[in-house]
Amino acid sequence: AAGVIQSPRHLIKEKRETATLKCYPIPRHDTVYWYQQGPGQDPQFLISFYEKMQSDKGSIPDRFSAQQFSDYHSELNMSSLELGDSALYFCASSPALLARDSQGVTDTQYFGPGTRLTVL
Amino acid sequence: AQSVTQLGSHVSVSEGALVLLRCNYSSSVPPYLFWYVQYPNQGLQLLLKYTSAATLVKGINGFEAEFKKSETSFHLTKPSAHMSDAAEYFCAVSFPNDKIIFGKGTRLHILP
């Protein structure tokens, strides 16, 4: 079965540079979530999109922005990178509201493999 | 606001022994509860989820968890540990169509 695709898998940047992370959700999933996992930390919610509109916002720095496109893929844009931005960035997708699994749940989030960003 | 607390950042068990990873949640209404596993340098894999159906939830790789409302707990168990179970385990809470809030994680070590 198709899974969430994230690219690139690894990215090395210098301080003050910019980075763009991409997420391709599972087909027919219309909701995308972004999470950041620092070294030895639990994943922290950054931002989410539903039907190409921002649906929720967490602890996302103002230097970061994101959007969801007409094909439902999402991009996380990061500017003025800092050493502390080094982390694993996960994207997760969940099905459209009309799609339900065997337990009637619409919102199981399926995680991608992550993009490991290293800021030097 | 909902939250989860995982007791023990590191748990060590012998191969073949019972695995018990503890998780307590805090929420004003019964939430959805999840256990995720993360192997080194890999992504998050859903082990199991509770969504107000059966209180005893069976997941992949022989893991199961029981939702106990009176104790606000959702502990993860496996009768017999395998070396391949060594990983980081995250308990998480969410509401329908909402972000997931993760616990701090418990690293499971399997002793030969």
Side-chain angles (χ1 to χ4, degrees), chain A:
Chain A
V4 176
I5 298 171
Q6 290 187 247
S7 68
R9 293 292 310 277
H10 300 271
L11 190 58
I12 299 175
K13 290 286 185 178
E14 300 276 346
K15 278 180 14 179
R16 291 181 289 278
E17 285 190 323
T18 62
T20 297
L21 310 185
K22 297 184 179 183
C23 169
Y24 298 87
I26 293 171
R28 293 186 299 281
H29 284 200
D30 60 357
T31 304
V32 167
Y33 302 81
W34 285 96
Y35 295 85
Q36 178 193 55
Q37 185 180 26
Q41 303 293 315
D42 54 297
Q44 295 286 323
F45 170 72
L46 290 178
I47 195 167
S48 62
F49 292 87
Y50 165 64
E51 279 293 339
K52 294 153 278 185
M53 299 287 290
Q54 180 181 309
S55 54
D56 196 3
K57 196 171 182 180
S59 51
I60 183 170
D62 291 341
R63 300 177 287 107
F64 294 6
S65 65
Q67 57 182 322
Q68 187 179 31
F69 294 84
S70 57
D71 63 351
Y72 296 105
H73 93 272
S74 179
E75 294 183 4
L76 178 65
N77 298 294
M78 312 160 72
S79 63
S80 302
L81 287 169
E82 302 174 356
L83 296 179
D85 296 329
S86 295
L88 196 53
Y89 290 83
F90 288 110
C91 169
S93 73
S94 63
L97 286 178
L98 295 179
R100 298 180 184 276
D101 65 14
S102 59
Q103 292 183 293
V105 175
T106 64
D107 64 342
T108 297
Q109 294 182 28
Y110 297 86
F111 283 80
T115 293
R116 184 171 295 281
L117 172 66
T118 302
V119 181
L120 302 176

Side-chain angles (χ1 to χ4, degrees), chain A residues 9 33 35 37 40-45 56 88 90 94-95 97 101 103-114 116, chain B residues 32 34 36 38 41-46 49-51 53-54 57 88 90 94-105:
Chain A
R9 293 292 310 277
Y33 302 81
Y35 295 85
Q37 185 180 26
Q41 303 293 315
D42 54 297
Q44 295 286 323
F45 170 72
D56 196 3
L88 196 53
F90 288 110
S94 63
L97 286 178
D101 65 14
Q103 292 183 293
V105 175
T106 64
D107 64 342
T108 297
Q109 294 182 28
Y110 297 86
F111 283 80
R116 184 171 295 281
Chain B
Y32 289 174
F34 307 84
Y36 284 88
Q38 185 175 33
N41 299 313
Q42 293 194 25
L44 293 161
Q45 183 180 8
L46 179 65
K49 62 184 178 185
Y50 167 77
T51 56
V57 182
E88 187 89 20
F90 291 97
S94 175
F95 286 112
N97 302 308
D98 197 5
K99 60 185 174 291
I100 291 176
I101 295 173
F102 291 87
K104 295 299 182 185

Side-chain angles (χ1 to χ4, degrees), chain B residues 1-3 7 9 12 20 23 31 34 39 42 44 53 56-57 65 70 74-75 79 81 84 89 91 101 103 108-109:
Chain B
Q2 65 269 36
S3 65
L7 300 178
S9 57
S12 296
L20 171 61
C23 172
F34 307 84
Y39 297 98
Q42 293 194 25
L44 293 161
L56 182 62
V57 182
S70 60
F74 190 58
H75 302 330
S84 60
Y89 291 79
C91 182
I101 295 173
L108 177 64
H109 304 271

Side-chain angles (χ1 to χ4, degrees), chain B:
Chain B
Q2 65 269 36
S3 65
V4 289
T5 301
Q6 292 183 240
L7 300 178
S9 57
H10 292 266
V11 170
S12 296
V13 301
S14 298
E15 191 174 17
L18 171 72
V19 175
L20 171 61
L21 304 183
R22 299 177 186 273
C23 172
N24 288 88
Y25 71 91
S26 173
S27 177
S28 55
V29 295
Y32 289 174
L33 293 161
F34 307 84
W35 276 100
Y36 284 88
V37 60
Q38 185 175 33
Y39 297 98
N41 299 313
Q42 293 194 25
L44 293 161
Q45 183 180 8
L46 179 65
L47 272 179
L48 49 79
K49 62 184 178 185
Y50 167 77
T51 56
S52 74
T55 56
L56 182 62
V57 182
K58 294 187 183 299
I60 62 172
N61 302 337
F63 284 94
E64 62 181 39
E66 186 173 8
F67 172 73
K68 291 188 177 180
K69 185 178 179 181
S70 60
E71 299 177 7
T72 61
S73 69
F74 190 58
H75 302 330
L76 182 71
T77 60
K78 181 175 180 177
S80 177
H82 294 166
M83 295 300 292
S84 60
D85 294 328
E88 187 89 20
Y89 291 79
F90 291 97
C91 182
V93 64
S94 175
F95 286 112
N97 302 308
D98 197 5
K99 60 185 174 291
I100 291 176
I101 295 173
F102 291 87
K104 295 299 182 185
T106 297
R107 183 165 297 277
L108 177 64
H109 304 271
I110 308 298
L111 307 173

